[in-house]
Amino acid sequence: MSTQSEGAKRRVRARVDGTVQGVGYRPFVFRLAGELGIAGWVLNDERGVLVEAEGAPDAVHVFLARLRADAPPLAEVRGVEAQDVPVVGAPGFEIVASAHGGAATASVTPDSATCEDCLAELADPADRRHRYPFLNCTNCGPRFTIVRGIPYDRPLTTMAGFLMCDACRAEYEDPADRRFHAQPNACPVCGPQVRLLERDGSPVERTAGADAVRAAADDLLAGRILAVKGLGGYHLACRADSEDAVAALRARKRREDRPFALLVRDLQTARELVELGPGEEALLTSRARPIVLARRLAGAAVAASVAPNAPDLGLMLPYTPLHELLASDTGVPLVMTSGNLSDEPIAFSDDDARERLSAIADRFLVHDRPIATRTDDSVVRVVRERPLMLRRSRGYVPASLDLPVPAAVDVLGVGAEQKNAFCVAKGARAWPSHHIGDLKNYETLQSLETGIEHFQNLFEVAPQLLVHDLHPDYLSTRYALGREDVQLFSVQHHHAHLAATLAEHGETGPAVGAIFDGTGYGTDGTVWGGEILVGGLDRIERCGRIRPIRMPGGERAIAEPWRMAAAWLTEIQAPLPPAFEDIAQPRWNMVARMSTNGMGSPFTSSAGRLFDAVAALCGVRLEVTYEGQAAIEFEALADRAAADPYPLELEHRGSAIALDVRPTIVAVLDDIAAGVPVGTISARFHAGLAHATAAALVLVAERRQLALVVLSGGVFQNRLLLELTSAGLEQAGLRVLVPERLPPNDGQIAFGQVAIAAARLAAG
Ligand code: ZN
Ligand code: ZN
Ligand code: FE
């Protein structure tokens, strides 16, 4: 401690804002104080961390600087605000129990993959946590998925029911220990236990008192299907190199054609299955450990049923000790797909999992640490050497994003209908939620509602303004309309896409944007989805679109892409291509009639539906089992060498531009008739659409003197289209913004809604 006289001392009270709870911040402060001879205390409260530091003025100065500069790896210090307070002369430095009361803006952090130190213990036969599936420390482990409330302390997590043993308690209380105040700290004596169960819930006999994980690994190697309770929910697992096992899983799960994700033990194994660049490798090994989509290598030792017709495989590395053990004990790539049936949400409570998964899984590998919030695996791919988020959930949530225009009142955005995520905001910070899913059933709607309550509680947000989509039939809109306690505000879907992209890059606009997606409710009551918009957070103007066409049978055309093809064939009065021979004449006639008279067939400018039409014309998919499937497979077929773009005319009506794709369709049909391979047709189509889109955007940018361009909407999950379009724009000297931290699909809508509402509030 300081030997200087009281008079030479200085005492400050410092407020540390940011992600500073559950990341070993207080022990760090404690050690720092010891090193610098500082007296005082540190505590967690609802806003973050509060410190009082007393010592020699020089030491206090250094202490304050290092509070930010030397913060531990998982911490993110947003600000340190210090004020001088009277010197009290008390010796020593202590960590004080959490205080209650006051505003709650303290950060709960995302779950983080097992750190190197913990992995070393897991593998060390001499360590007391050897092969313990729940070891963790202040630098790693579960966070968001176990948090029930704030402040982030053990009693408010799902670890509350586990009483620490003496050894764990000693670590927890020792400021010099890596587990000092690690809330989920546990060991085989006192912590959660894993068990292997038969599908009827009875324990598997030979695992009594033995290693259940090893037995589970043996089951997997024998080709069995296991339900595995993980971090944010249950997975269904089987060995990925066994066609029998994977095909059985696919049949039982009724997953139709959607690809299964794989868990591989390390980067080396991943390199044997897919093409990895530095971007993919960085994502695979990041603390968030998302599923990374990468191009499958020819000869990758993976069963055909893992990802039928898909050029990419989705891979992830182990992110919990349990997954680490399963991956290394089996030594083979494992399918790790969400524990659900078809499109249902992933199961995360034990009873629900037992009920829903017992018809799919042969056995259950379970544990007794409850999951507080259902959290799916995140999915990312690399495009233009940047991450492109496809699903943002485990590992990323609940990190906040800054709003370029702070919200004058607390705001809640309820998002769209598909790939729903909501977003709460307070001041300049917004917290986009985990992936909720498609709001088409009671269960997902329920998780939207409980999720909203949880976030309001975690970040102490009391929304006075609730923002919803213009679409009157979205369940999220209906939820909003049912809330009578708050003011409502509606935002057009594609405006939200544009605004979300601007806002995550800290921009407010104006910009010109191409928003290409499946379908969204337009201000004119038609179905939008291929829009050229000019504007910013405050407002937009529709300056162009893909030339509208009938969507025969409305929503049915999403599942049956041949209907969109029929609409185009009717429009340009072309004969049927060979792919359509299988469609019964009466059905064809009915749809052709709908395309002409418009019965139950709204006009749409949707780019997604255009992709569907062309893919169907080429015979790629006449019907699909999930939205976008035809387009994804069509992109996969593209022969990147051949890219002479198809003609696509820009039609000018006043200042508005229509992308007239009729010449494109004619050229596609000519190529089909001439026997040109689908790979060439796909490449030419992508090039034509990208070329015309870039040309239209450049034109609008010149007219309006704009330098900023936004590309977003679910269709821009298409890597080829995104690369070609942005290359064209960059060549013209424009700055291109693409979503990175949030998905280009409807997962970004809620954040866009909130950003728009905040900007409108500020503008009065
Ligand atoms: Zn650790
Ligand atoms: Zn213990
Ligand atoms: Fe959308």
Side-chain angles (χ1 to χ4, degrees):
M1 291 300 118
S2 172
T3 54
Q4 290 168 15
S5 72
E6 295 295 304
K9 283 191 177 173
R10 178 188 177 202
R11 187 178 182 95
V12 293
R13 171 176 292 189
R15 153 73 55 201
V16 185
D17 279 317
T19 303
V20 289
Q21 293 189 2
V23 293
Y25 196 80
R26 287 174 304 170
F28 149 72
V29 174
F30 181 90
R31 286 190 296 267
L32 184 62
E35 186 186 325
L36 296 171
I38 296 281
W41 49 258
V42 57
L43 62 80
N44 266 358
D45 65 10
E46 287 82 349
R47 278 190 59 193
V49 162
L50 194 63
V51 190
E52 281 203 9
E54 180 174 324
D58 282 0
V60 170
H61 182 79
V62 172
F63 177 81
L64 287 173
R66 288 180 62 186
L67 281 180
R68 179 170 211 152
D70 293 349
L74 294 185
E76 190 202 330
V77 175
R78 299 167 69 93
V80 177
E81 241 174 75
Q83 62 183 98
D84 280 87
V85 293
V87 170
V88 299
F93 195 92
E94 58 179 334
I95 295 177
V96 181
S98 291
H100 293 267
T105 53
S107 292
V108 174
T109 57
D111 301 274
S112 179
T114 318
C115 73
E116 291 298 326
D117 291 339
C118 286
L119 285 177
E121 291 172 346
L122 188 70
D124 177 3
D127 193 277
R128 72 188 187 93
R129 291 191 177 85
H130 178 229
R131 292 185 58 80
Y132 180 57
F134 304 96
L135 90 170
N136 64 83
C137 72
T138 43
N139 299 322
C140 74
R143 297 291 186 274
F144 175 69
T145 53
I146 62 165
V147 166
R148 289 195 162 129
I150 50 161
Y152 173 68
D153 261 349
R154 191 162 172 122
L156 287 175
T157 70
T158 61
M159 286 297 292
F162 299 93
L163 196 65
M164 271 184 268
C165 68
D166 289 347
C168 287
R169 169 68 54 188
E171 295 164 338
Y172 184 85
E173 288 173 353
D174 176 5
D177 196 278
R178 199 171 94 245
R179 296 195 165 92
F180 180 61
H181 286 196
Q183 306 304 344
N185 188 27
C187 79
V189 173
C190 67
Q193 301 296 331
V194 59
R195 289 183 307 155
L196 186 61
L197 305 177
E198 301 289 359
R199 47 161 72 142
D200 66 3
S202 61
V204 171
E205 240 171 79
R206 65 200 160 94
T207 66
D211 190 340
V213 180
R214 188 95 64 188
D218 289 342
D219 275 348
L220 289 167
L221 286 175
R224 293 202 178 88
I225 295 169
L226 291 190
V228 178
K229 183 176 178 181
L231 199 52
Y234 276 75
H235 279 119
L236 287 159
C238 71
R239 61 185 298 169
D241 57 355
S242 158
E243 178 58 25
D244 284 351
V246 182
L249 173 56
R250 191 169 282 286
R252 292 186 207 170
K253 195 172 142 71
R254 283 187 253 141
R255 175 100 177 154
E256 288 112 359
D257 301 326
R258 242 183 258 245
F260 287 144
L262 304 180
L263 175 75
V264 294
R265 63 185 299 185
D266 52 23
L267 213 44
Q268 191 45 46
T269 314
R271 289 191 190 112
E272 289 161 14
L273 301 179
V274 291
E275 249 173 60
L276 294 178
E280 281 91 358
E281 295 198 352
L283 283 166
L284 274 173
T285 54
S286 67
R287 287 193 200 98
R289 295 285 158 103
I291 294 169
V292 178
L293 299 186
R295 193 161 278 258
R296 168 208 303 247
L297 292 173
V302 166
S305 291
V306 165
N309 301 316
D312 290 348
L313 290 176
L315 262 54
M316 60 182 156
L317 297 189
Y319 52 91
T320 74
L322 179 62
H323 293 94
E324 182 69 35
L325 292 172
L326 279 177
S328 55
D329 285 359
T330 55
V332 296
L334 298 172
V335 166
M336 270 290 159
T337 184
S338 35
N340 57 10
L341 201 63
S342 197
D343 286 337
E344 294 172 355
I346 182 173
F348 74 104
S349 79
D350 298 330
D351 293 345
D352 180 40
R354 181 85 40 75
E355 195 180 307
R356 288 202 281 144
L357 306 182
S358 56
I360 305 177
D362 298 313
R363 281 179 172 167
F364 285 71
L365 184 64
V366 301
H367 60 76
D368 52 357
R369 186 179 72 203
I371 297 168
T373 301
R374 166 168 76 79
T375 316
D376 297 84
D377 294 315
S378 297
V379 184
V380 193
R381 86 196 295 195
V382 175
V383 180
R384 302 163 77 232
E385 289 165 19
R386 303 293 307 163
L388 186 73
M389 192 73 67
L390 303 180
R391 182 167 73 200
R392 179 182 180 271
S393 209
R394 177 190 51 76
Y396 296 98
V397 176
S400 67
L401 269 64
D402 290 337
L403 287 171
V405 181
V409 301
D410 292 5
V411 183
L412 164 66
V414 292
E417 170 104 330
Q418 297 202 318
K419 298 184 170 69
N420 179 275
F422 62 88
C423 181
V424 295
K426 188 186 196 71
R429 295 181 78 186
W431 292 270
S433 79
H434 50 302
H435 170 81
I436 301 290
D438 295 350
L439 297 182
K440 58 181 167 196
N441 55 44
Y442 174 75
E443 241 181 324
T444 34
L445 187 62
Q446 187 99 56
S447 40
L448 172 66
E449 293 181 15
T450 53
I452 288 171
E453 266 169 47
H454 187 48
F455 269 58
Q456 289 182 177
N457 171 32
L458 280 189
F459 305 111
E460 212 168 83
V461 177
Q464 288 172 256
L465 187 64
L466 197 158
V467 200
H468 62 85
D469 196 276
L470 264 189
H471 201 307
D473 297 332
Y474 278 1
L475 286 184
S476 52
T477 304
R478 297 220 191 130
Y479 163 82
L481 297 177
R483 293 252 322 229
E484 286 163 359
D485 50 330
V486 287
Q487 202 188 329
L488 299 184
F489 180 69
S490 65
V491 164
Q492 199 279 324
H493 188 88
H494 302 93
H495 186 194
H497 274 300
L498 177 88
T501 312
L502 284 171
E504 77 155 275
H505 291 281
E507 299 286 343
T508 57
V512 56
I515 310 298
F516 287 0
D517 67 355
T519 52
Y521 198 82
T523 53
D524 57 1
T526 71
V527 181
W528 291 15
E531 311 310 308
I532 293 179
L533 306 175
V534 167
L537 300 189
D538 51 347
R539 52 183 292 277
I540 45 149
E541 197 186 321
R542 192 189 195 197
C543 289
R545 59 183 176 170
I546 293 174
R547 187 178 199 277
I549 180 103
R550 294 279 181 192
M551 197 174 155
E555 300 262 295
R556 287 197 64 180
I558 297 172
E560 299 178 23
W562 72 271
R563 287 171 177 260
M564 291 311 303
W568 282 107
L569 290 170
T570 312
E571 172 84 8
I572 62 169
Q573 301 185 348
L576 299 196
F580 283 66
E581 281 159 11
D582 290 343
I583 291 171
Q585 198 62 39
R587 268 183 104 196
W588 169 265
N589 289 344
M590 178 192 70
V591 166
R593 216 162 35 241
M594 289 167 108
S595 314
T596 318
N597 66 21
M599 180 84 102
S601 307
F603 274 110
T604 185
S605 50
S606 166
R609 298 292 82 78
L610 173 62
F611 266 91
D612 281 353
V614 178
L617 287 174
C618 294
V620 174
R621 285 278 157 189
L622 298 190
E623 299 186 359
V624 295
T625 60
Y626 60 93
E627 183 174 6
Q629 183 184 9
I632 290 168
E633 293 180 12
F634 187 56
E635 178 199 357
L637 290 166
D639 172 2
R640 283 165 186 250
D644 179 20
Y646 284 135
L648 199 162
E649 278 164 25
L650 299 188
E651 184 188 9
H652 301 271
R653 283 196 196 148
S655 65
I657 297 172
L659 272 62
D660 184 357
V661 294
R662 284 174 302 181
T664 312
I665 303 289
V666 170
V668 167
L669 291 171
D670 286 348
D671 271 359
I672 292 172
V676 172
V678 179
T680 308
I681 297 176
S682 174
R684 296 190 66 190
F685 174 75
H686 279 85
L689 182 59
H691 193 263
T693 303
L697 291 170
V698 167
L699 195 65
V700 174
E702 273 169 10
R703 281 186 194 156
R704 306 292 187 103
Q705 298 192 307
L706 299 167
L708 200 57
V709 185
V710 167
L711 299 178
S712 192
V715 168
F716 281 111
Q717 294 172 119
N718 181 318
R719 173 165 30 196
L720 183 56
L721 184 70
L722 183 54
E723 282 173 353
L724 293 172
T725 311
S726 47
L729 292 163
E730 278 162 357
Q731 255 165 31
L734 295 167
R735 188 172 154 231
V736 182
L737 297 183
V738 168
E740 284 179 22
R741 299 186 64 189
L742 294 175
N745 60 43
D746 287 0
Q748 74 173 166
I749 291 293
F751 178 64
Q753 291 172 338
V754 162
I756 290 168
R760 290 265 178 87
L761 282 172

